[in-house]
Amino acid sequence: IFLIASISPSLTTNLFLPFLKNSIENFSLNPWDNFLLTNNEINSFPYGLIMVIAYFPISFFGNLIDKFIYDFNFIELGFKLTSLLFDYFLLIFLSLITSNKSKKLLIFCFWLSPIAIYTNYIHGQLDIVPIALLICSVFFIKNNNYSLSGLILSLSISSKFSMLIALPFFIIYIYKRRGIQQELFKFIVSLLILNLLTFIPYLSSISFWEMVLKTKELDRIYTIFISYGSNLRLYVLPVVYIFSLYL
């Protein structure tokens, strides 16, 4: 709470909040197109529809207070409180996944993790949302609820497209555990349905492509390679996927 109240990360104030404030005050079903009509910052919000939906409600009420009651930058407070809520959401599902472990130790390590504190509240990244959804999906797949797991993983991918990197690991896990059975079919169908609903309406949008799908981070993830010889490259990610099949 102290960090939320006392620190204003530059990412939040210069990139994320201008996009979200524009989405609130100039509501559009395509906030990326709407934002780039008046701004040229394509790096402002490299996240998908689910991320906009996640941060919209509390930030909306914060913006209302700023406009009609007292302008104390409550929109930023609402924005940061959303991250805190997803932080707590992540802790809950980590606790459920590690049910046989010490809860006190988990809480201590979670809230005092320097990486989490720096990433979420000092640097101002929003990765807590897709990560929390990813862990939630892991919980449901662990409990054999494949449809719900696929649905929640699609929410994670729809919030940050680079979370697509996790999909092959889920498929490999189900395949090794159940083979090509009904469970794998349920997972893929539920995953595809929601992703189609959240991506297809925006595939004709140049702004969506530039801001969400063509991020440098995604390019870096899928093009990591080890160079050996003059013209030879070993791409790391496909090797990791193949290796995981035999674990």
Side-chain angles (χ1 to χ4, degrees), residues 6-162:
S6 61
I7 297 178
S8 294
S10 60
L11 281 179
T12 300
T13 55
N14 298 330
L15 295 179
F16 303 149
L17 273 181
F19 177 90
L20 194 62
K21 190 169 185 176
N22 183 77
S23 300
I24 292 171
E25 295 183 349
N26 303 288
F27 183 78
S28 169
L29 294 178
N30 189 332
W32 302 275
D33 274 351
N34 194 34
F35 179 76
L36 290 186
L37 286 174
T38 55
N39 297 269
N40 296 320
E41 183 54 75
I42 63 170
N43 297 316
S44 182
F45 201 80
Y47 302 104
L49 180 63
I50 299 304
M51 191 74 88
V52 177
I53 294 172
Y55 279 89
F56 194 95
I58 304 180
S59 301
F60 174 80
F61 286 110
N63 191 60
L64 280 181
I65 296 172
D66 286 334
K67 289 187 70 174
F68 299 108
I69 301 177
Y70 183 71
D71 190 357
F72 193 68
N73 207 14
F74 283 103
I75 185 174
E76 182 175 344
L77 180 61
F79 188 86
K80 293 175 181 177
L81 284 175
T82 302
S83 293
L84 181 62
L85 287 175
F86 275 94
D87 224 350
Y88 185 65
F89 180 77
L90 173 59
L91 176 61
I92 291 172
F93 279 95
L94 283 174
S95 177
L96 291 172
I97 290 172
T98 59
S99 56
N100 296 325
K101 308 297 180 183
S102 170
K103 294 291 189 290
K104 290 182 179 179
L105 179 61
L106 174 63
I107 293 171
F108 179 83
C109 293
F110 184 85
W111 289 119
L112 294 182
S113 167
I115 296 175
I117 291 172
Y118 176 79
T119 301
N120 296 331
Y121 306 109
I122 298 176
H123 191 234
Q125 285 286 356
L126 308 184
D127 290 2
I128 187 63
V129 173
I131 290 172
L133 291 169
L134 179 69
I135 296 301
C136 180
S137 179
V138 170
F139 168 76
F140 284 110
I141 204 171
K142 182 183 177 184
N143 288 276
N144 301 319
N145 194 331
Y146 298 96
S147 296
L148 192 54
S149 176
L151 188 69
I152 295 173
L153 180 60
S154 70
L155 292 176
S156 178
I157 295 170
S158 297
S159 63
K160 187 173 183 179
F161 191 55
S162 60

